Amino acid sequence: MSQSMTQHVTALAADAEIVAGGFLGDVPAFALASGEVALFEGTQSHNIVAHENSAILMGQGDGECLITGGDDGRVMATYADGRSEQIAKEKGWIDALAVRGDGPLAWASGKQVSARNEKGELKSMTAPSSVRGLCFMPKGYRLALSHYNGVSLWFPNMTADPEFFKWAGSHLDVTVSPDGKFIVSAMQEAALHGWRVQDHKDMRMTGYPSKTRSFSWSADGHWMATSGAEACIIWPFQSKDGPMGKGPRECGVRPAKVTRVAFHPRSLVVAIGYDDGWVMICRITDAAEILVRSTEESAAKDRAISTLTWSADGGRLLFGAEDGTGGLLDLPV
């Protein structure tokens, strides 16, 4: 690895495990397992209690606020000015969360799935089994939800039954290609399963040594980066058959498992976080690697990178780890 950007990183520290991160306008923020949201000005943090006496299980930013789901059953929105407001309160804890930058958001608690549009109107449905993953389709007000034995596509504003994509087994997370043509889910048995939306054609992506828990699509929709191996595994989706009959690319090969991946919002560059706290950036056209962060204790399991988030303009990369350490990379102009 011949290049390094470590000198352009500002180290950030939280006092609890970092669950998720995002930019609230220009303000970097971390959702913490302690139930707090840490807002940063320079290296100084201001912690907001979003889930009192409860743990944050997941979080996603929409550019203006950080949406978090907790084991208290609450869905909360925290803003850069320190406001934190309740969006919903469920009986059980929040199992899945989906946020789209133009306003809609959704969450699941057990079998119950709720969706709120940009006007604040709420719709709910009951899934066949507990929902583990949620994401919005890129166009229209439609949700993909993963559960046992498959994935369902649901139009909250329609009374018709959800469209069901069947594949036996436990589906943990779900993602949809930027053009809306492909659905991909992560399976319990360390494999991915995909469908072509148009005709439900199945596609299998196997060979992972562990479960994939992080997906990211390139801005042009031609590539999908995944975690779950000692490299970032990137599948091609340029053709109408997706990755079928084609092998994936690998980049960022290291003796550590990839835990988070995040494509740059404009370029064919992917940020990669590892279970030993390392972060690097890879350019997939030529596999060039740039180091962002290294750690001394390469075997420290609690240093796993748990969040990677680019700013909307791609000029900054926010990363955080399970041990509460993190950083902010400012790309040189």
Side-chain angles (χ1 to χ4, degrees), residues 26-75:
D26 293 328
V27 177
F30 288 138
L32 308 180
S34 63
E36 297 177 309
V37 173
L39 309 175
F40 284 88
E41 183 177 351
T43 59
Q44 299 299 309
S45 70
H46 174 53
N47 286 19
I48 307 298
V49 178
H51 299 257
E52 190 171 0
N53 299 320
S54 300
I56 292 176
L57 304 176
M58 63 202 66
Q60 287 188 40
D62 68 358
E64 293 185 3
C65 63
L66 191 62
I67 307 293
T68 53
D71 64 3
D72 55 1
R74 286 182 165 86
V75 178

Side-chain angles (χ1 to χ4, degrees), residues 195-211:
W195 297 266
R196 193 164 58 191
V197 173
Q198 181 181 14
D199 57 6
H200 289 223
K201 183 177 180 180
D202 293 292
M203 52 191 73
R204 292 284 282 164
M205 287 155 275
T206 60
Y208 290 88
S210 59
K211 297 181 186 68

